[in-house]
Amino acid sequence: PCTTLFRSGELYIFGIGIGDHQHYVNSFNGSTWAGWSAVPGGGTTELSDAATVFNGKLYIFGIGIGDHQHYVNSFNGSTWAGWSVMPGGGTTNVADAAVTLGNEMYVFGIGINDHHHYVNAFNGSTWRGWSAVPGGGTTLLSDAAAVFQNKVYLFGIGINDHQHYMNIYP
């Protein structure tokens, strides 16, 4: 699957290479596609990226193939920062979800062992670290997150009943 995002008048699309598992990006300015290129930093994944815009930068999140850690890379419009492990530990087997609301960026992940929903927030200088999303619930699939009416809506699928669930965070 691909991930799309709109930043500063351009549409960005991210995809994962079939053979090399690298992160790739393409952008569209309304009339021309830039063409696919590898996201600098050499990161690899087998899962979809999550992406959001925060403080004018584009952020993408990927899950490491061997270590299952959460990684982040950012783009300021001309330069990629490079891949780094998100502070706070945490591992997962499914893709992250990311949104921005106000002065914070939220990344949601599913715990690799307990399958609970977790969140890590960034205020522009500091990551809070992973903490359980209030309300409980477990899933084997990636969360979906969206901002609506100044709230973060988190959507998941129950493990046993396969029902759709919604949580409002925070």
Side-chain angles (χ1 to χ4, degrees):
C2 292
T3 302
T4 59
L5 179 70
F6 187 73
R7 178 197 173 271
S8 297
E10 288 193 65
L11 174 68
Y12 288 84
I13 184 167
F14 297 93
I16 306 305
I18 292 173
D20 61 9
H21 303 288
Q22 287 190 63
H23 305 262
Y24 286 89
V25 61
N26 198 347
S27 62
F28 181 67
N29 65 10
S31 60
T32 307
W33 286 95
W36 289 100
S37 62
V39 173
T44 58
T45 190
E46 294 175 333
L47 304 168
S48 296
D49 289 322
T52 191
V53 173
F54 179 67
N55 287 345
K57 291 183 183 177
L58 185 152
Y59 286 83
I60 63 171
F61 303 90
I63 307 302
I65 291 176
D67 60 10
H68 304 286
Q69 292 188 79
H70 305 262
Y71 287 84
V72 59
N73 198 343
S74 64
F75 180 64
N76 65 10
S78 60
T79 306
W80 287 92
W83 291 100
S84 62
V85 174
M86 285 181 62
T91 56
T92 189
N93 281 328
V94 297
D96 287 329
V99 294
T100 297
L101 177 63
N103 295 323
E104 290 201 296
M105 175 172 55
Y106 299 95
V107 180
F108 296 93
I110 305 303
I112 199 169
N113 293 318
D114 63 8
H115 309 293
H116 285 276
H117 306 263
Y118 289 91
V119 62
N120 197 341
F122 182 64
N123 64 11
S125 60
T126 306
W127 287 95
R128 276 195 215 144
W130 293 100
S131 62
V133 172
T138 56
T139 188
L140 299 175
L141 303 171
S142 300
D143 282 329
V147 173
F148 179 67
Q149 295 183 341
N150 214 29
K151 296 177 184 172
V152 175
Y153 286 77
L154 189 63
F155 302 91
I157 305 293
I159 291 176
N160 297 320
D161 62 8
H162 307 289
Q163 295 285 326
H164 292 85
Y165 289 90
M166 180 186 76
N167 195 343
I168 299 173
Y169 183 83

